[in-house]
Amino acid sequence: MKSLSLNKKFKIALLISAFVMPSLAWSQSTTSVITSDEEVLEVKPLEEEDPISLFPSDEELEPTQVNEDNQVPAITSVPANEGGSAIPGIVSEESLAVIDPATAGLFDTKATGGLGVNMWAGSNRAQMKAIFTSLPDRIGSKTLQLLAKKLLLTSAETPSLEGDNEIILADGIDVLKMRVGRLIALGFGKEAKELILAAGLENDQFQAFAEQLLEISLLESNFTQSCDLVHSQTGKLGEPYWQKNLTFCHLLEGNVDGANFGITILQDYGDDDPLFYALADKILGLNSEIPTVSTLTPLHLAMFTAADLPLPDSILTSDINVNILHALVNNPKTDIQLRMQAAEEGMKLGVIEGPKLAELYMAQSFKPEEIKAPLSTAEANYSAYTRALLYQAAAAEPTEETRAVIIEKALDFARKGGTYGITLAAFEGLIGQMPIRADLWHFADEAARSLYAVGRSKPAKVWIDQLMDQAIRNADAAQELNELWAMSRIASSDQMTMINEEEGRRGWISYVESTVADESEVEILRRLDMAYSLIEVLDRQPVSILAWEEMAMRDANLLALTPNPATMRLVKFAANQNRVAETVGRVISMLGETDLPRVSSASVVSAIEALNQIGLEQEARLLAVEAALENGL
């Protein structure tokens, strides 16, 4: 490769120094905006701290440690043996070897959170690229979100590539950019930045990731880092993309003349972005109307933050970008009800956690008459607003018996309203605080489901034991025990011993029939099918043939979403060949964009079988539990 001129090396060094800091945690300094009225607006406090160098000396290349928790070392390469490369994609030329950047990752083995250094064994380079490009931007399953992170962040040997060093480097950088792009799209910007830094890139290679790094910094509202990067692009500032970002930096820095000049240049380019110009006016303190938009770019988002403005409710659409969704939840200027709705949507997509949703629920204010009658208010108008009301009522209730009743009712509303998963996550903390007592046996079924949902089968079993003691002498307790028949068999390797197995199954069917809206035969059939299929695929004692015969007599046919048959076939083929990464990627592509309550049991079973086959038994069970909860089992 050609050597860089001294001037080019200096310019790229500016880019690198903007991003490499200890533990990737950026310190804070003060940035001010000077408005047209000479008023000073502080945008974001930042503390200055000397940067450290990302790259080693020219004499020796060392792996870069990037995990800020210092728990998992970054894996940037596997050393070659004396006779040549140990990794496909590393070519030896006498004593000189080139490292394929696509091998970079934050962890490698399953013990450290990865899929293993050999996860691409059996797959070729084209298949690897196809897997990365086919991953959806929105994944509605927590288990599949976890698998996507493992797939994208594992350091692994890559399929070999024929060619000289420059071909290998160029292709490796392209693959790494694919992975970084997928991570950003899924809302994992922090991990994407760590992955770039873990790759041990040389200065000129690092430049290829400038736009992605800027996008991450803008999404994080890290304006000092963003503008350091923009100013380092001296050779590109004539391009509209960089000129627009430079104009924003001039606004932040109080350089009104520079900002106005940049706006003139952009308009000469024919740039058509009314929102950008309106936000620029707002940052300058001018009275400009914000146009109605349905989507935002990372730059727009940063400008809303700099102008200290609420985000518009028009952006909360069904296909909202997950990063904008996350920003909407965390924007304190935005209406609290809009933030709650966004948080509930973010829960489904893995960018918001239950405690954050609970925090927003607690921030909502209510009328006195609503606080006095939370259950009837929620029953009359079930929404994010009344879910927050029920949460506050349960949190404020001093008596454990009454608190248990409120939580039970909140989850019952959620089950019927299709929000069970997100409501359960929000109430998880309150449920965990409930004491396990004999007099609270009526709360045992909901407590057990909640604990199963987060993988805590042992404390769930303690609640079930309380329920079983009561079931011996109490018919209502026996029915509540029966309601756990399917979930207990799916969620735990220690199958719950029913007082009577067949009686338990029939009691569970009665429970399903009572919780299905309008007693829909199609919906009842769908839940029975999902439950029986999940139980059997997890290698429990098979459901009796009598159960399937009774199900066959129901007067209904299923209308469920079935993925592309070719995808299901490729999932099975990859698993049979023990192609770990390919199997995981195809499972995510098959189910990632589909709501689990709408997908066919056959496709869920296919995914679980494949994950079990490649050794991901824990993830297979998590997916089964998730499907059970989302399907009201």
Side-chain angles (χ1 to χ4, degrees):
M1 293 179 287
K2 296 180 180 179
S3 61
L4 293 172
S5 67
L6 180 61
N7 185 43
K8 186 175 181 183
K9 284 186 176 180
F10 174 74
K11 291 175 182 177
I12 296 177
L14 291 176
L15 162 65
I16 297 165
S17 65
F19 281 87
V20 184
M21 299 295 285
S23 301
L24 301 180
W26 279 85
S27 52
Q28 308 214 334
S29 64
T30 301
T31 301
S32 299
V33 175
I34 302 177
T35 69
S36 57
D37 299 323
E38 298 302 313
E39 179 184 1
V40 177
L41 172 65
E42 289 191 353
V43 178
K44 179 178 178 181
L46 298 162
E47 292 176 1
E48 293 187 357
E49 183 171 325
D50 292 335
I52 63 172
S53 174
L54 167 63
F55 302 117
S57 64
D58 292 336
E59 289 77 25
E60 185 175 3
L61 183 65
E62 296 285 351
T64 303
Q65 302 294 324
V66 299
N67 188 300
E68 65 181 358
D69 295 324
N70 292 320
Q71 294 178 344
V72 182
I75 306 298
T76 58
S77 66
V78 178
N81 58 36
E82 294 181 1
S85 169
I87 305 178
I90 296 181
V91 178
S92 295
E93 295 180 1
E94 299 177 357
S95 60
L96 179 65
V98 59
I99 298 175
D100 181 355
T103 65
L106 302 187
F107 29 67
D108 53 357
T109 66
K110 292 181 181 179
T112 59
L115 294 176
V117 294
N118 296 315
M119 70 176 192
W120 290 110
S123 302
N124 61 42
R125 196 96 176 174
Q127 289 167 332
M128 176 180 70
K129 291 180 179 181
I131 291 298
F132 288 139
T133 55
S134 67
L135 294 178
D137 290 345
R138 297 160 60 89
I139 299 177
S141 157
K142 289 185 181 297
T143 306
L144 298 182
Q145 290 155 14
L146 171 66
L147 285 170
K149 288 181 75 172
K150 287 175 180 283
L151 177 66
L152 292 166
L153 292 173
T154 295
S155 174
E157 297 180 9
T158 54
S160 60
L161 175 68
E162 295 295 328
D164 60 21
N165 285 1
E166 293 211 11
I167 290 175
I168 292 168
L169 282 172
D171 191 78
I173 287 173
D174 285 344
V175 172
L176 189 60
K177 286 182 70 176
M178 287 181 192
R179 292 165 63 191
V180 169
R182 291 296 86 200
L183 286 166
I184 295 173
L186 291 169
F188 304 131
K190 170 179 170 290
E191 292 84 353
K193 182 164 61 177
E194 291 178 355
L195 178 60
I196 295 171
L197 298 177
L201 301 172
E202 294 183 5
N203 293 1
D204 56 336
Q205 299 160 0
F206 193 80
Q207 177 67 37
F209 298 88
E211 290 189 17
Q212 290 178 321
L213 288 168
L214 178 59
E215 182 176 347
I216 294 168
S217 296
L218 291 171
L219 290 169
E220 294 174 342
S221 297
N222 192 332
F223 300 147
T224 296
Q225 189 179 19
S226 300
C227 291
D228 283 348
L229 173 55
V230 171
H231 286 305
S232 74
Q233 303 297 300
T234 53
K236 295 184 177 181
L237 294 178
E239 300 173 10
Y241 174 85
W242 290 104
Q243 180 61 53
K244 184 176 281 189
N245 283 281
L246 178 63
T247 301
F248 172 56
C249 290
H250 285 327
L251 291 167
L252 293 179
E253 294 155 358
N255 185 353
V256 178
D257 289 341
N260 286 330
F261 180 67
I263 288 172
T264 300
I265 293 175
L266 289 168
Q267 290 174 336
D268 287 344
Y269 281 141
D271 180 70
D272 183 20
D273 189 352
L275 180 59
F276 174 83
Y277 299 113
L279 289 170
D281 284 346
K282 288 290 188 181
I283 293 174
L284 288 171
L286 302 176
N287 186 17
S288 184
E289 183 177 352
I290 301 296
T292 300
V293 293
S294 60
T295 187
L296 300 178
T297 67
L299 178 57
H300 291 147
L301 178 64
M303 295 180 79
F304 269 104
T305 302
D308 201 27
L309 293 173
L311 296 177
D313 56 9
S314 58
I315 66 173
L316 187 55
T317 60
S318 60
D319 60 348
I320 183 173
N321 177 281
V322 296
N323 292 294
I324 304 303
L325 187 67
H326 187 270
L328 184 59
V329 170
N330 290 288
N331 186 304
K333 295 289 183 178
T334 300
D335 176 73
I336 186 63
Q337 289 195 46
L338 184 63
R339 293 174 68 194
M340 288 193 302
Q341 293 173 36
E344 291 186 341
E345 183 65 21
M347 284 282 301
K348 301 174 186 176
L349 299 173
V351 294
I352 300 297
E353 298 295 332
K356 181 63 180 182
L357 179 57
E359 175 189 323
L360 293 175
Y361 280 169
M362 289 299 292
Q364 175 66 58
S365 58
F366 297 99
K367 300 173 184 177
E369 58 268 27
E370 292 173 330
I371 295 174
K372 290 179 181 178
L375 297 181
S376 58
T377 301
E379 189 168 19
N381 182 24
Y382 187 64
S383 64
Y385 180 82
T386 51
R387 285 189 283 279
L389 175 63
L390 292 169
Y391 184 87
Q392 286 193 26
E397 176 54 49
T399 64
E400 289 151 349
E401 292 83 355
T402 305
R403 191 186 318 143
V405 170
I406 296 173
I407 295 174
E408 282 185 276
K409 196 64 178 175
L411 292 173
D412 185 50
F413 285 144
R415 192 178 289 107
K416 293 176 180 177
T419 62
Y420 185 78
I422 60 176
T423 304
L424 193 62
F427 277 76
E428 181 186 333
L430 294 178
I431 294 172
Q433 294 170 9
M434 294 293 290
I436 303 176
R437 297 199 316 243
D439 62 321
L440 294 176
W441 62 263
H442 59 87
F443 185 65
D445 60 336
E446 293 294 3
R449 283 192 189 90
S450 172
L451 292 163
Y452 278 139
V454 295
R456 301 181 61 198
S457 59
K458 289 184 178 179
K461 184 66 167 59
V462 177
W463 273 108
I464 290 173
D465 287 343
Q466 290 284 355
L467 194 55
M468 291 183 71
D469 288 341
Q470 293 292 326
I472 297 172
R473 49 189 173 275
N474 186 311
D476 291 337
Q479 176 54 33
E480 289 209 8
L481 182 65
N482 293 338
E483 292 173 8
L484 288 167
W485 175 81
M487 178 56 71
S488 64
R489 295 189 67 177
I490 292 166
S492 175
S493 57
D494 299 323
Q495 182 183 329
M496 181 176 72
T497 303
M498 308 296 298
I499 295 173
N500 181 287
E501 173 69 14
E502 190 58 24
E503 181 181 326
R505 183 182 67 81
R506 293 183 183 281
W508 173 77
I509 293 175
S510 297
Y511 159 72
V512 170
E513 292 171 337
S514 69
T515 57
V516 169
D518 302 324
E519 298 183 352
S520 166
E521 272 294 311
V522 172
E523 178 61 17
I524 293 169
L525 183 64
R526 190 188 63 77
R527 295 193 191 187
L528 296 184
D529 173 52
M530 184 66 74
Y532 295 169
S533 299
L534 290 176
I535 289 170
E536 294 200 340
V537 75
L538 290 171
D539 261 341
R540 300 288 164 270
Q541 177 183 342
V543 176
S544 67
I545 193 64
L546 176 61
W548 289 106
E549 288 173 346
E550 290 177 351
M551 181 176 156
M553 295 175 64
R554 289 185 173 269
D555 186 19
N557 292 308
L558 286 181
L559 295 173
L561 290 179
T562 301
N564 187 322
T567 304
M568 293 181 66
R569 180 68 181 84
L570 290 172
V571 166
K572 184 175 182 179
F573 175 80
N576 286 342
Q577 298 293 316
N578 199 32
R579 298 181 181 181
V580 175
E582 191 175 332
T583 301
V584 169
R586 294 199 186 281
V587 164
I588 296 169
S589 298
M590 180 173 69
L591 297 179
E593 290 186 293
T594 307
D595 291 336
L596 287 177
R598 300 173 60 210
V599 75
S600 68
S601 63
S603 55
V604 178
V605 166
S606 173
I608 292 171
E609 286 177 334
L611 293 174
N612 272 326
Q613 195 167 346
I614 61 172
L616 297 178
E617 293 89 354
Q618 182 178 2
E619 289 81 357
R621 184 176 299 282
L622 287 172
L623 182 60
V625 171
E626 193 174 0
L629 287 169
E630 291 295 331
N631 282 277
L633 305 189

